[in-house]
Structure formats: C-alpha cells, structure tokens
Amino acid sequence: MLSHTERSPSRLDQLRFLERVQVADLERTRRWIAQEERRLAEVRRQEQARPPTAEWVLQESLGAQPVAVHVGGCHMAGERIRGITREQALHARVEGVDGCGYCGVDAELGYLDG
C-alpha cells in the first residue's frame, strides 16, 4: 500500500497545475478583451460612417404625402422621413403641413402661423 505522500501530488505539482489553470484563464480573458476591442472598433466605425442627422425632416405617409415637419432627430418623426432644407421646411409649413408640437419645429424655424 502507498503512503499518503506517495498518493498525493507534491506541493510543487499542485502549484504547477494551478499555474496551468491560471495561464489558461489569462489567455481566455485576453481573447475576450480582443473580441470586445474589435466590437467597439466596429461600433465606432459605424458611428463615423453614419450620415449626419438632417437639420429638418419631413414625415410622410405611406403614400408619400407630407404629414409633419420636424426638427432633425425628433423622436416623434416616425420611420418615413427624409431630410429637407430650412427653406423646404418653411415652405411645407406655409403650404399647410403640420408642425410637430413635440420638437417645437415652428419656434426653431421662426415660423409664425398666419
């Protein structure tokens, strides 16, 4: 029969095992860091490639009829929008297209109704 010291790994063997486990953990953590750096770089690249927000937008119906004029970036504008110039925004308001009350487009345009 083997003695307790012959059956159990030595302290040095245990420490070497611990070292292998910790090296594997460190390598895995470094892979995770590299993946996150790549993900963040892609997010930055997409943000830089995104066209700037239009200063004014025209919300349109399914039939492409003007529904409302909004300040660019207004969260109430919906999905069917297109960027327009300040002059086009003023013209749309004069022609009777509603102005968004949420973003205060009339005040931003300096448009006084009537």
Side-chain angles (χ1 to χ4, degrees):
M1 183 171 234
L2 298 174
S3 70
H4 175 69
T5 55
E6 293 174 15
R7 286 181 286 157
S8 299
S10 71
R11 178 159 170 75
L12 181 58
D13 289 339
Q14 292 174 347
L15 290 171
R16 285 186 176 143
F17 172 77
L18 176 61
E19 179 185 39
R20 286 191 306 272
V21 169
Q22 289 177 330
V23 166
D25 285 346
L26 180 59
E27 289 171 353
R28 183 181 61 224
T29 301
R30 287 179 174 159
R31 284 192 308 273
W32 290 344
I33 289 169
Q35 288 172 343
E36 183 64 11
E37 287 172 340
R38 286 190 299 273
R39 188 190 70 79
L40 290 174
E42 178 62 20
V43 166
R44 281 191 300 275
R45 187 195 66 72
Q46 288 176 354
E47 287 173 353
Q48 291 171 350
R50 183 180 305 138
T53 302
E55 196 170 349
W56 313 100
V57 294
L58 183 65
Q59 179 181 355
E60 298 176 329
S61 68
L62 283 173
Q65 295 302 312
V67 173
V69 177
H70 298 267
V71 173
C74 176
H75 299 288
M76 300 300 285
E79 296 179 8
R80 291 178 198 84
I81 59 170
R82 63 179 173 92
I84 57 175
T85 66
R86 182 177 190 281
E87 292 73 27
Q88 290 170 318
L90 280 168
H91 180 74
R93 289 297 290 125
V94 168
E95 293 296 314
V97 177
D98 290 337
C100 175
Y102 179 79
C103 63
V105 68
D106 287 347
E108 292 290 325
L109 282 170
Y111 176 75
L112 301 175
D113 188 16

PDB file of all heavy atoms in Angstrom, residues 54-87:
ATOM      1  N   ALA A  54     -30.158  65.139 -40.361  1.00  0.00           N
ATOM      2  CA  ALA A  54     -30.636  66.325 -41.092  1.00  0.00           C
ATOM      3  C   ALA A  54     -31.129  67.351 -40.073  1.00  0.00           C
ATOM      4  O   ALA A  54     -31.662  67.007 -39.023  1.00  0.00           O
ATOM      5  CB  ALA A  54     -31.767  65.933 -42.037  1.00  0.00           C
ATOM      6  N   GLU A  55     -30.973  68.620 -40.401  1.00  0.00           N
ATOM      7  CA  GLU A  55     -31.413  69.679 -39.502  1.00  0.00           C
ATOM      8  C   GLU A  55     -32.941  69.741 -39.427  1.00  0.00           C
ATOM      9  O   GLU A  55     -33.511  70.057 -38.398  1.00  0.00           O
ATOM     10  CB  GLU A  55     -30.845  71.023 -39.976  1.00  0.00           C
ATOM     11  CG  GLU A  55     -30.906  72.093 -38.940  1.00  0.00           C
ATOM     12  CD  GLU A  55     -30.123  73.336 -39.330  1.00  0.00           C
ATOM     13  OE1 GLU A  55     -29.360  73.297 -40.307  1.00  0.00           O
ATOM     14  OE2 GLU A  55     -30.308  74.347 -38.650  1.00  0.00           O
ATOM     15  N   TRP A  56     -33.594  69.405 -40.544  1.00  0.00           N
ATOM     16  CA  TRP A  56     -35.050  69.406 -40.632  1.00  0.00           C
ATOM     17  C   TRP A  56     -35.480  68.139 -41.356  1.00  0.00           C
ATOM     18  O   TRP A  56     -34.786  67.690 -42.265  1.00  0.00           O
ATOM     19  CB  TRP A  56     -35.562  70.625 -41.417  1.00  0.00           C
ATOM     20  CG  TRP A  56     -34.906  71.887 -40.971  1.00  0.00           C
ATOM     21  CD1 TRP A  56     -33.865  72.526 -41.591  1.00  0.00           C
ATOM     22  CD2 TRP A  56     -35.185  72.636 -39.799  1.00  0.00           C
ATOM     23  NE1 TRP A  56     -33.499  73.627 -40.877  1.00  0.00           N
ATOM     24  CE2 TRP A  56     -34.292  73.736 -39.771  1.00  0.00           C
ATOM     25  CE3 TRP A  56     -36.105  72.506 -38.775  1.00  0.00           C
ATOM     26  CZ2 TRP A  56     -34.284  74.677 -38.757  1.00  0.00           C
ATOM     27  CZ3 TRP A  56     -36.106  73.443 -37.764  1.00  0.00           C
ATOM     28  CH2 TRP A  56     -35.209  74.511 -37.759  1.00  0.00           C
ATOM     29  N   VAL A  57     -36.619  67.569 -40.971  1.00  0.00           N
ATOM     30  CA  VAL A  57     -37.113  66.380 -41.657  1.00  0.00           C
ATOM     31  C   VAL A  57     -38.597  66.520 -41.938  1.00  0.00           C
ATOM     32  O   VAL A  57     -39.336  67.190 -41.208  1.00  0.00           O
ATOM     33  CB  VAL A  57     -36.848  65.074 -40.865  1.00  0.00           C
ATOM     34  CG1 VAL A  57     -35.370  64.781 -40.761  1.00  0.00           C
ATOM     35  CG2 VAL A  57     -37.488  65.099 -39.504  1.00  0.00           C
ATOM     36  N   LEU A  58     -38.999  65.873 -43.020  1.00  0.00           N
ATOM     37  CA  LEU A  58     -40.403  65.841 -43.412  1.00  0.00           C
ATOM     38  C   LEU A  58     -40.896  64.419 -43.210  1.00  0.00           C
ATOM     39  O   LEU A  58     -40.347  63.472 -43.780  1.00  0.00           O
ATOM     40  CB  LEU A  58     -40.562  66.252 -44.879  1.00  0.00           C
ATOM     41  CG  LEU A  58     -42.002  66.325 -45.399  1.00  0.00           C
ATOM     42  CD1 LEU A  58     -42.778  67.426 -44.667  1.00  0.00           C
ATOM     43  CD2 LEU A  58     -42.004  66.582 -46.894  1.00  0.00           C
ATOM     44  N   GLN A  59     -41.902  64.270 -42.375  1.00  0.00           N
ATOM     45  CA  GLN A  59     -42.529  62.967 -42.157  1.00  0.00           C
ATOM     46  C   GLN A  59     -43.574  62.787 -43.242  1.00  0.00           C
ATOM     47  O   GLN A  59     -44.351  63.699 -43.526  1.00  0.00           O
ATOM     48  CB  GLN A  59     -43.177  62.920 -40.777  1.00  0.00           C
ATOM     49  CG  GLN A  59     -43.863  61.617 -40.467  1.00  0.00           C
ATOM     50  CD  GLN A  59     -44.512  61.632 -39.087  1.00  0.00           C
ATOM     51  OE1 GLN A  59     -44.378  62.586 -38.320  1.00  0.00           O
ATOM     52  NE2 GLN A  59     -45.222  60.570 -38.777  1.00  0.00           N
ATOM     53  N   GLU A  60     -43.581  61.590 -43.851  1.00  0.00           N
ATOM     54  CA  GLU A  60     -44.504  61.311 -44.940  1.00  0.00           C
ATOM     55  C   GLU A  60     -45.390  60.118 -44.608  1.00  0.00           C
ATOM     56  O   GLU A  60     -45.028  59.256 -43.821  1.00  0.00           O
ATOM     57  CB  GLU A  60     -43.730  61.059 -46.232  1.00  0.00           C
ATOM     58  CG  GLU A  60     -42.915  62.269 -46.671  1.00  0.00           C
ATOM     59  CD  GLU A  60     -42.063  61.989 -47.898  1.00  0.00           C
ATOM     60  OE1 GLU A  60     -41.623  60.834 -48.077  1.00  0.00           O
ATOM     61  OE2 GLU A  60     -41.846  62.937 -48.668  1.00  0.00           O
ATOM     62  N   SER A  61     -46.566  60.076 -45.244  1.00  0.00           N
ATOM     63  CA  SER A  61     -47.492  58.956 -45.080  1.00  0.00           C
ATOM     64  C   SER A  61     -47.043  57.796 -45.957  1.00  0.00           C
ATOM     65  O   SER A  61     -46.075  57.911 -46.714  1.00  0.00           O
ATOM     66  CB  SER A  61     -48.899  59.395 -45.481  1.00  0.00           C
ATOM     67  OG  SER A  61     -48.941  59.636 -46.879  1.00  0.00           O
ATOM     68  N   LEU A  62     -47.776  56.687 -45.898  1.00  0.00           N
ATOM     69  CA  LEU A  62     -47.477  55.542 -46.759  1.00  0.00           C
ATOM     70  C   LEU A  62     -47.492  55.928 -48.229  1.00  0.00           C
ATOM     71  O   LEU A  62     -46.721  55.412 -49.019  1.00  0.00           O
ATOM     72  CB  LEU A  62     -48.492  54.422 -46.519  1.00  0.00           C
ATOM     73  CG  LEU A  62     -48.295  53.607 -45.253  1.00  0.00           C
ATOM     74  CD1 LEU A  62     -49.462  52.647 -45.060  1.00  0.00           C
ATOM     75  CD2 LEU A  62     -46.995  52.844 -45.304  1.00  0.00           C
ATOM     76  N   GLY A  63     -48.371  56.852 -48.593  1.00  0.00           N
ATOM     77  CA  GLY A  63     -48.466  57.307 -49.976  1.00  0.00           C
ATOM     78  C   GLY A  63     -47.524  58.451 -50.300  1.00  0.00           C
ATOM     79  O   GLY A  63     -47.686  59.119 -51.313  1.00  0.00           O
ATOM     80  N   ALA A  64     -46.552  58.700 -49.452  1.00  0.00           N
ATOM     81  CA  ALA A  64     -45.539  59.736 -49.627  1.00  0.00           C
ATOM     82  C   ALA A  64     -46.123  61.149 -49.578  1.00  0.00           C
ATOM     83  O   ALA A  64     -45.543  62.081 -50.120  1.00  0.00           O
ATOM     84  CB  ALA A  64     -44.731  59.517 -50.901  1.00  0.00           C
ATOM     85  N   GLN A  65     -47.270  61.290 -48.912  1.00  0.00           N
ATOM     86  CA  GLN A  65     -47.841  62.629 -48.712  1.00  0.00           C
ATOM     87  C   GLN A  65     -47.245  63.226 -47.438  1.00  0.00           C
ATOM     88  O   GLN A  65     -47.073  62.530 -46.441  1.00  0.00           O
ATOM     89  CB  GLN A  65     -49.367  62.544 -48.578  1.00  0.00           C
ATOM     90  CG  GLN A  65     -50.066  62.061 -49.836  1.00  0.00           C
ATOM     91  CD  GLN A  65     -49.766  62.959 -51.032  1.00  0.00           C
ATOM     92  OE1 GLN A  65     -49.861  64.178 -50.931  1.00  0.00           O
ATOM     93  NE2 GLN A  65     -49.385  62.355 -52.130  1.00  0.00           N
ATOM     94  N   PRO A  66     -46.913  64.522 -47.455  1.00  0.00           N
ATOM     95  CA  PRO A  66     -46.350  65.157 -46.258  1.00  0.00           C
ATOM     96  C   PRO A  66     -47.321  65.081 -45.083  1.00  0.00           C
ATOM     97  O   PRO A  66     -48.515  65.348 -45.239  1.00  0.00           O
ATOM     98  CB  PRO A  66     -46.136  66.604 -46.690  1.00  0.00           C
ATOM     99  CG  PRO A  66     -46.124  66.576 -48.178  1.00  0.00           C
ATOM    100  CD  PRO A  66     -47.005  65.448 -48.586  1.00  0.00           C
ATOM    101  N   VAL A  67     -46.813  64.698 -43.931  1.00  0.00           N
ATOM    102  CA  VAL A  67     -47.626  64.590 -42.722  1.00  0.00           C
ATOM    103  C   VAL A  67     -47.246  65.679 -41.729  1.00  0.00           C
ATOM    104  O   VAL A  67     -48.105  66.353 -41.181  1.00  0.00           O
ATOM    105  CB  VAL A  67     -47.471  63.197 -42.065  1.00  0.00           C
ATOM    106  CG1 VAL A  67     -48.169  63.134 -40.721  1.00  0.00           C
ATOM    107  CG2 VAL A  67     -47.981  62.119 -42.997  1.00  0.00           C
ATOM    108  N   ALA A  68     -45.944  65.854 -41.490  1.00  0.00           N
ATOM    109  CA  ALA A  68     -45.493  66.837 -40.499  1.00  0.00           C
ATOM    110  C   ALA A  68     -44.040  67.205 -40.747  1.00  0.00           C
ATOM    111  O   ALA A  68     -43.262  66.413 -41.275  1.00  0.00           O
ATOM    112  CB  ALA A  68     -45.665  66.300 -39.094  1.00  0.00           C
ATOM    113  N   VAL A  69     -43.704  68.410 -40.320  1.00  0.00           N
ATOM    114  CA  VAL A  69     -42.322  68.889 -40.351  1.00  0.00           C
ATOM    115  C   VAL A  69     -41.773  68.749 -38.937  1.00  0.00           C
ATOM    116  O   VAL A  69     -42.456  69.056 -37.957  1.00  0.00           O
ATOM    117  CB  VAL A  69     -42.259  70.367 -40.811  1.00  0.00           C
ATOM    118  CG1 VAL A  69     -40.826  70.873 -40.774  1.00  0.00           C
ATOM    119  CG2 VAL A  69     -42.850  70.515 -42.206  1.00  0.00           C
ATOM    120  N   HIS A  70     -40.531  68.268 -38.836  1.00  0.00           N
ATOM    121  CA  HIS A  70     -39.882  68.058 -37.533  1.00  0.00           C
ATOM    122  C   HIS A  70     -38.479  68.643 -37.557  1.00  0.00           C
ATOM    123  O   HIS A  70     -37.855  68.764 -38.617  1.00  0.00           O
ATOM    124  CB  HIS A  70     -39.719  66.562 -37.233  1.00  0.00           C
ATOM    125  CG  HIS A  70     -40.997  65.808 -37.142  1.00  0.00           C
ATOM    126  ND1 HIS A  70     -41.651  65.594 -35.954  1.00  0.00           N
ATOM    127  CD2 HIS A  70     -41.746  65.186 -38.101  1.00  0.00           C
ATOM    128  CE1 HIS A  70     -42.740  64.869 -36.186  1.00  0.00           C
ATOM    129  NE2 HIS A  70     -42.815  64.617 -37.479  1.00  0.00           N
ATOM    130  N   VAL A  71     -37.982  68.956 -36.365  1.00  0.00           N
ATOM    131  CA  VAL A  71     -36.564  69.254 -36.207  1.00  0.00           C
ATOM    132  C   VAL A  71     -35.830  67.927 -36.361  1.00  0.00           C
ATOM    133  O   VAL A  71     -36.299  66.892 -35.897  1.00  0.00           O
ATOM    134  CB  VAL A  71     -36.290  69.874 -34.816  1.00  0.00           C
ATOM    135  CG1 VAL A  71     -34.803  70.023 -34.566  1.00  0.00           C
ATOM    136  CG2 VAL A  71     -36.998  71.216 -34.681  1.00  0.00           C
ATOM    137  N   GLY A  72     -34.693  67.936 -37.036  1.00  0.00           N
ATOM    138  CA  GLY A  72     -33.915  66.704 -37.204  1.00  0.00           C
ATOM    139  C   GLY A  72     -33.627  66.048 -35.864  1.00  0.00           C
ATOM    140  O   GLY A  72     -33.304  66.722 -34.897  1.00  0.00           O
ATOM    141  N   GLY A  73     -33.783  64.736 -35.806  1.00  0.00           N
ATOM    142  CA  GLY A  73     -33.541  63.987 -34.582  1.00  0.00           C
ATOM    143  C   GLY A  73     -34.759  63.872 -33.685  1.00  0.00           C
ATOM    144  O   GLY A  73     -34.680  63.239 -32.629  1.00  0.00           O
ATOM    145  N   CYS A  74     -35.890  64.449 -34.067  1.00  0.00           N
ATOM    146  CA  CYS A  74     -37.111  64.355 -33.258  1.00  0.00           C
ATOM    147  C   CYS A  74     -37.552  62.893 -33.200  1.00  0.00           C
ATOM    148  O   CYS A  74     -37.703  62.234 -34.226  1.00  0.00           O
ATOM    149  CB  CYS A  74     -38.223  65.217 -33.854  1.00  0.00           C
ATOM    150  SG  CYS A  74     -39.805  65.067 -32.973  1.00  0.00           S
ATOM    151  N   HIS A  75     -37.777  62.410 -32.003  1.00  0.00           N
ATOM    152  CA  HIS A  75     -38.162  61.008 -31.821  1.00  0.00           C
ATOM    153  C   HIS A  75     -39.614  60.734 -32.205  1.00  0.00           C
ATOM    154  O   HIS A  75     -40.016  59.578 -32.299  1.00  0.00           O
ATOM    155  CB  HIS A  75     -37.909  60.570 -30.383  1.00  0.00           C
ATOM    156  CG  HIS A  75     -36.476  60.664 -29.997  1.00  0.00           C
ATOM    157  ND1 HIS A  75     -35.520  59.803 -30.467  1.00  0.00           N
ATOM    158  CD2 HIS A  75     -35.818  61.561 -29.224  1.00  0.00           C
ATOM    159  CE1 HIS A  75     -34.342  60.135 -29.996  1.00  0.00           C
ATOM    160  NE2 HIS A  75     -34.489  61.203 -29.238  1.00  0.00           N
ATOM    161  N   MET A  76     -40.374  61.766 -32.445  1.00  0.00           N
ATOM    162  CA  MET A  76     -41.782  61.594 -32.818  1.00  0.00           C
ATOM    163  C   MET A  76     -41.957  61.529 -34.338  1.00  0.00           C
ATOM    164  O   MET A  76     -43.066  61.355 -34.825  1.00  0.00           O
ATOM    165  CB  MET A  76     -42.624  62.748 -32.252  1.00  0.00           C
ATOM    166  CG  MET A  76     -42.580  62.847 -30.737  1.00  0.00           C
ATOM    167  SD  MET A  76     -43.181  61.369 -29.916  1.00  0.00           S
ATOM    168  CE  MET A  76     -44.927  61.557 -30.186  1.00  0.00           C
ATOM    169  N   ALA A  77     -40.877  61.657 -35.079  1.00  0.00           N
ATOM    170  CA  ALA A  77     -40.965  61.752 -36.536  1.00  0.00           C
ATOM    171  C   ALA A  77     -41.351  60.441 -37.219  1.00  0.00           C
ATOM    172  O   ALA A  77     -41.764  60.452 -38.363  1.00  0.00           O
ATOM    173  CB  ALA A  77     -39.651  62.260 -37.108  1.00  0.00           C
ATOM    174  N   GLY A  78     -41.231  59.332 -36.569  1.00  0.00           N
ATOM    175  CA  GLY A  78     -41.580  58.069 -37.204  1.00  0.00           C
ATOM    176  C   GLY A  78     -40.482  57.563 -38.117  1.00  0.00           C
ATOM    177  O   GLY A  78     -39.343  58.041 -38.092  1.00  0.00           O
ATOM    178  N   GLU A  79     -40.837  56.611 -38.961  1.00  0.00           N
ATOM    179  CA  GLU A  79     -39.841  55.955 -39.821  1.00  0.00           C
ATOM    180  C   GLU A  79     -39.798  56.525 -41.232  1.00  0.00           C
ATOM    181  O   GLU A  79     -38.780  56.460 -41.890  1.00  0.00           O
ATOM    182  CB  GLU A  79     -40.125  54.458 -39.883  1.00  0.00           C
ATOM    183  CG  GLU A  79     -39.971  53.768 -38.550  1.00  0.00           C
ATOM    184  CD  GLU A  79     -40.282  52.287 -38.620  1.00  0.00           C
ATOM    185  OE1 GLU A  79     -40.474  51.763 -39.731  1.00  0.00           O
ATOM    186  OE2 GLU A  79     -40.328  51.670 -37.553  1.00  0.00           O
ATOM    187  N   ARG A  80     -40.896  57.045 -41.723  1.00  0.00           N
ATOM    188  CA  ARG A  80     -40.954  57.552 -43.102  1.00  0.00           C
ATOM    189  C   ARG A  80     -40.618  59.034 -43.115  1.00  0.00           C
ATOM    190  O   ARG A  80     -41.493  59.890 -43.124  1.00  0.00           O
ATOM    191  CB  ARG A  80     -42.335  57.305 -43.698  1.00  0.00           C
ATOM    192  CG  ARG A  80     -42.612  55.850 -43.949  1.00  0.00           C
ATOM    193  CD  ARG A  80     -44.023  55.644 -44.489  1.00  0.00           C
ATOM    194  NE  ARG A  80     -44.421  54.271 -44.335  1.00  0.00           N
ATOM    195  CZ  ARG A  80     -44.938  53.762 -43.217  1.00  0.00           C
ATOM    196  NH1 ARG A  80     -45.157  54.526 -42.174  1.00  0.00           N
ATOM    197  NH2 ARG A  80     -45.259  52.492 -43.158  1.00  0.00           N
ATOM    198  N   ILE A  81     -39.332  59.317 -43.073  1.00  0.00           N
ATOM    199  CA  ILE A  81     -38.884  60.710 -43.052  1.00  0.00           C
ATOM    200  C   ILE A  81     -37.792  60.908 -44.095  1.00  0.00           C
ATOM    201  O   ILE A  81     -37.147  59.950 -44.524  1.00  0.00           O
ATOM    202  CB  ILE A  81     -38.352  61.115 -41.663  1.00  0.00           C
ATOM    203  CG1 ILE A  81     -37.169  60.224 -41.245  1.00  0.00           C
ATOM    204  CG2 ILE A  81     -39.449  61.111 -40.617  1.00  0.00           C
ATOM    205  CD1 ILE A  81     -36.442  60.700 -40.018  1.00  0.00           C
ATOM    206  N   ARG A  82     -37.618  62.144 -44.464  1.00  0.00           N
ATOM    207  CA  ARG A  82     -36.490  62.495 -45.336  1.00  0.00           C
ATOM    208  C   ARG A  82     -35.996  63.869 -44.931  1.00  0.00           C
ATOM    209  O   ARG A  82     -36.755  64.732 -44.481  1.00  0.00           O
ATOM    210  CB  ARG A  82     -36.876  62.444 -46.810  1.00  0.00           C
ATOM    211  CG  ARG A  82     -37.943  63.421 -47.234  1.00  0.00           C
ATOM    212  CD  ARG A  82     -38.219  63.286 -48.758  1.00  0.00           C
ATOM    213  NE  ARG A  82     -39.344  64.099 -49.132  1.00  0.00           N
ATOM    214  CZ  ARG A  82     -39.252  65.364 -49.557  1.00  0.00           C
ATOM    215  NH1 ARG A  82     -38.065  65.927 -49.653  1.00  0.00           N
ATOM    216  NH2 ARG A  82     -40.324  66.049 -49.880  1.00  0.00           N
ATOM    217  N   GLY A  83     -34.699  64.047 -45.046  1.00  0.00           N
ATOM    218  CA  GLY A  83     -34.088  65.322 -44.697  1.00  0.00           C
ATOM    219  C   GLY A  83     -34.483  66.403 -45.700  1.00  0.00           C
ATOM    220  O   GLY A  83     -34.581  66.143 -46.898  1.00  0.00           O
ATOM    221  N   ILE A  84     -34.729  67.593 -45.198  1.00  0.00           N
ATOM    222  CA  ILE A  84     -35.068  68.728 -46.065  1.00  0.00           C
ATOM    223  C   ILE A  84     -34.305  69.958 -45.576  1.00  0.00           C
ATOM    224  O   ILE A  84     -33.791  69.984 -44.451  1.00  0.00           O
ATOM    225  CB  ILE A  84     -36.597  69.015 -46.069  1.00  0.00           C
ATOM    226  CG1 ILE A  84     -37.128  69.270 -44.649  1.00  0.00           C
ATOM    227  CG2 ILE A  84     -37.362  67.865 -46.725  1.00  0.00           C
ATOM    228  CD1 ILE A  84     -38.600  69.683 -44.590  1.00  0.00           C
ATOM    229  N   THR A  85     -34.251  70.972 -46.423  1.00  0.00           N
ATOM    230  CA  THR A  85     -33.586  72.220 -46.063  1.00  0.00           C
ATOM    231  C   THR A  85     -34.514  73.073 -45.202  1.00  0.00           C
ATOM    232  O   THR A  85     -35.725  72.825 -45.126  1.00  0.00           O
ATOM    233  CB  THR A  85     -33.204  73.025 -47.318  1.00  0.00           C
ATOM    234  OG1 THR A  85     -34.413  73.432 -47.973  1.00  0.00           O
ATOM    235  CG2 THR A  85     -32.327  72.205 -48.258  1.00  0.00           C
ATOM    236  N   ARG A  86     -33.971  74.103 -44.612  1.00  0.00           N
ATOM    237  CA  ARG A  86     -34.780  75.031 -43.818  1.00  0.00           C
ATOM    238  C   ARG A  86     -35.840  75.679 -44.709  1.00  0.00           C
ATOM    239  O   ARG A  86     -36.996  75.827 -44.300  1.00  0.00           O
ATOM    240  CB  ARG A  86     -33.883  76.090 -43.188  1.00  0.00           C
ATOM    241  CG  ARG A  86     -34.631  77.075 -42.311  1.00  0.00           C
ATOM    242  CD  ARG A  86     -33.673  78.060 -41.642  1.00  0.00           C
ATOM    243  NE  ARG A  86     -34.382  78.825 -40.639  1.00  0.00           N
ATOM    244  CZ  ARG A  86     -35.171  79.855 -40.907  1.00  0.00           C
ATOM    245  NH1 ARG A  86     -35.357  80.236 -42.154  1.00  0.00           N
ATOM    246  NH2 ARG A  86     -35.790  80.502 -39.932  1.00  0.00           N
ATOM    247  N   GLU A  87     -35.449  76.055 -45.915  1.00  0.00           N
ATOM    248  CA  GLU A  87     -36.393  76.680 -46.844  1.00  0.00           C
ATOM    249  C   GLU A  87     -37.539  75.729 -47.182  1.00  0.00           C
ATOM    250  O   GLU A  87     -38.701  76.137 -47.244  1.00  0.00           O
ATOM    251  CB  GLU A  87     -35.680  77.138 -48.118  1.00  0.00           C
ATOM    252  CG  GLU A  87     -34.709  78.295 -47.913  1.00  0.00           C
ATOM    253  CD  GLU A  87     -33.415  77.893 -47.192  1.00  0.00           C
ATOM    254  OE1 GLU A  87     -33.006  76.708 -47.282  1.00  0.00           O
ATOM    255  OE2 GLU A  87     -32.836  78.766 -46.522  1.00  0.00           O
TER     256      GLU A  87
END
